[in-house]
Amino acid sequence: MTSVLDLVRPDLRTFAGYASARRARGSGHVWLNANESPWASFGDTGLGLNRYPEPQPAQLKDQMAALYGVTADQVLVTRGSDEGIDLIVRTFCRAGMDGVLTAPPCFGMYAVAARIQNAPLVEVPLDDDGANFSLDLIAVEDIVAHGDVRVVFLSSPANPTGQTLSHKQIRQLAKALDGKAVLVMDEAYAEFSSIGAATSLLSEFSHLILLRTLSKAYALAGARIGAVLADADVIRILRSLAAPYPIPAPSAAAALAAISPAAQDQARERVTLTIKERDAVFKQLKQIEGVIAVYPSEGNYLLTRFKDTDAALARLLGKGVVVRDMRDMSQLGDAVRISVGSPEDNRAMIEALRENSL
């Protein structure tokens, strides 16, 4: 098995990045090294916001490592998954040379990050049999084997289509990509999936990278806290490219509270309720006149096709229900993505669609 460092841009393999004042903090107690205000800001609730935060809050890293079942040196705390996606593309792709492979329809930030880096975008569209979406793994392997792809982005559960990849499939693909490309599995919705996260595979493949987030199951979308889980050498290089102070102190504090033992118990209860609601809403949507298809999902959302999507959206908005219009995405010209909300939210959505006919 080759070293994952062989896949990193050559000019970044020994790049140390910016050494911020907090990165070289030391053990003093009179802080005169960062040109900060010595006084607390008006309304500061004790977070010490007059001081720059830790670039990688040590306590939060430790707690997230424990949450995800890895070691602290395998964790990079990021501003949601978006920052992780951007850092990965910049780390492994030379502009105009090394490509990014995606499987549309999928999360749009993979393509955005590729474009910003001027990395060629290669697409392997998902297969749709009308009832389920699936990925042609052999096609992915063939393209990487014969092309200049350096980063492969896949998600499980997939957003917005809902299907998963088994750990066996991920292992098969990781073996095929060894020495050719890094495999990035976006697991933003893993908590809602019966498959679960592929954390156990990290020890087998240094070129496997997992993306996790506290935005979904841990109800922390507004705090923007995510994580890259990867080989320690990969984490070291990604950190060298990250902003000097990426994690605001209030966000770190909120994250610590959100993954405390009591909060984890609550999150698991809410995930269980969400899955129950997802399955119920799936059945209800299929019975509504004008619905063409509802795709099974392992996430907290349902991709739904309508005979008259404009009418469906108008009916929902008329009742104050906002869903995601997916019609700009390839293969989804009549589809919307409906997030699974509280029982009350879901009831309002179903009642809005049932009024009259579509």
Side-chain angles (χ1 to χ4, degrees):
M1 186 177 293
T2 58
S3 170
V4 67
L5 295 180
D6 295 334
L7 299 173
V8 173
R9 284 170 41 188
D11 56 312
L12 295 180
R13 291 172 190 169
T14 59
F15 179 60
Y18 174 71
S20 68
R22 284 295 172 268
R23 197 166 175 177
R25 187 168 183 168
S27 57
H29 63 279
V30 179
W31 300 109
L32 303 177
N33 66 333
N35 302 333
E36 305 152 318
S37 171
W39 300 285
S41 62
F42 183 82
D44 190 331
T45 57
L47 290 172
L49 301 182
N50 57 312
R51 302 296 184 185
Y52 286 110
E54 293 180 83
Q56 287 289 291
Q59 186 180 1
L60 181 56
K61 277 192 67 168
D62 289 343
Q63 292 299 320
M64 293 184 80
L67 177 68
Y68 295 134
V70 297
T71 59
D73 63 356
Q74 292 177 293
V75 177
L76 180 74
V77 184
T78 58
R79 292 169 288 188
S81 295
D82 299 340
E83 183 180 29
I85 292 166
D86 175 62
L87 290 173
I88 290 166
V89 173
R90 288 195 282 132
T91 294
F92 291 96
C93 294
R94 295 166 294 178
M97 298 175 63
D98 302 316
V100 170
L101 185 148
T102 65
C106 61
F107 185 41
M109 284 306 298
Y110 312 140
V112 169
R115 182 172 182 180
I116 291 172
Q117 182 64 8
N118 191 26
L121 183 65
V122 180
E123 296 181 336
V124 178
L126 296 175
D127 295 324
D128 177 16
D129 63 6
N132 290 280
F133 281 88
S134 60
L135 175 63
D136 187 342
L137 294 176
I138 300 302
V140 174
E141 294 174 11
D142 287 345
I143 288 174
V144 174
H146 299 100
D148 295 316
V149 170
R150 191 56 61 90
V151 178
V152 174
F153 280 110
L154 300 175
S155 55
S156 182
N159 173 23
T161 48
Q163 80 283 355
T164 58
L165 290 174
S166 69
H167 293 180
K168 180 179 179 180
Q169 289 173 309
I170 296 171
R171 179 181 283 108
Q172 170 192 330
L173 190 55
K175 287 181 178 179
L177 268 53
D178 184 28
K180 303 178 182 70
V182 292
L183 174 58
V184 184
M185 295 302 307
D186 189 340
E187 298 184 326
Y189 302 93
E191 289 88 352
F192 303 97
S193 169
S194 60
I195 300 297
T199 314
S200 62
L201 300 181
L202 287 173
S203 60
E204 295 184 46
F205 305 105
S206 65
H207 62 293
L208 175 63
I209 300 174
L210 307 181
L211 299 177
R212 301 299 299 270
T213 181
L214 300 183
S215 294
K216 314 299 181 182
Y218 290 90
L220 218 58
R224 310 306 303 130
I225 295 290
V228 177
L229 310 182
D231 181 89
D233 285 336
V234 172
I235 296 299
R236 173 180 56 80
I237 293 176
L238 293 176
R239 181 177 176 182
S240 73
L241 270 65
Y245 305 105
I247 310 301
S251 291
L256 282 170
I259 59 175
S260 66
Q264 287 187 46
D265 290 341
Q266 182 187 69
R268 283 189 287 268
E269 291 174 1
R270 290 176 171 178
V271 165
T272 299
L273 176 59
T274 298
I275 293 171
K276 180 181 178 181
E277 285 291 305
R278 179 190 69 199
D279 295 343
V281 170
F282 175 80
K283 295 176 182 177
Q284 292 169 329
L285 284 171
K286 289 176 71 90
Q287 296 171 358
I288 292 176
E289 183 180 354
V291 170
I292 298 173
V294 186
Y295 291 86
S297 174
E298 292 274 340
N300 65 338
Y301 47 86
L302 291 163
L303 185 70
T304 308
R305 296 188 187 274
F306 291 91
K307 289 180 181 178
D308 189 340
T309 310
D310 282 330
L313 288 170
R315 197 174 302 280
L316 289 166
L317 283 174
K319 295 295 184 179
V321 179
V322 183
V323 298
R324 186 66 178 265
D325 188 347
M326 307 304 298
R327 289 177 292 175
D328 287 340
M329 279 196 171
S330 63
Q331 305 185 63
L332 301 183
D334 56 1
V336 303
R337 188 192 66 197
I338 302 174
S339 299
V340 179
S342 68
E344 295 76 19
D345 294 338
N346 301 330
R347 190 178 309 115
M349 181 271 296
I350 292 294
E351 289 175 355
L353 289 176
R354 280 176 175 164
E355 277 197 5
N356 303 315
S357 63
L358 299 174

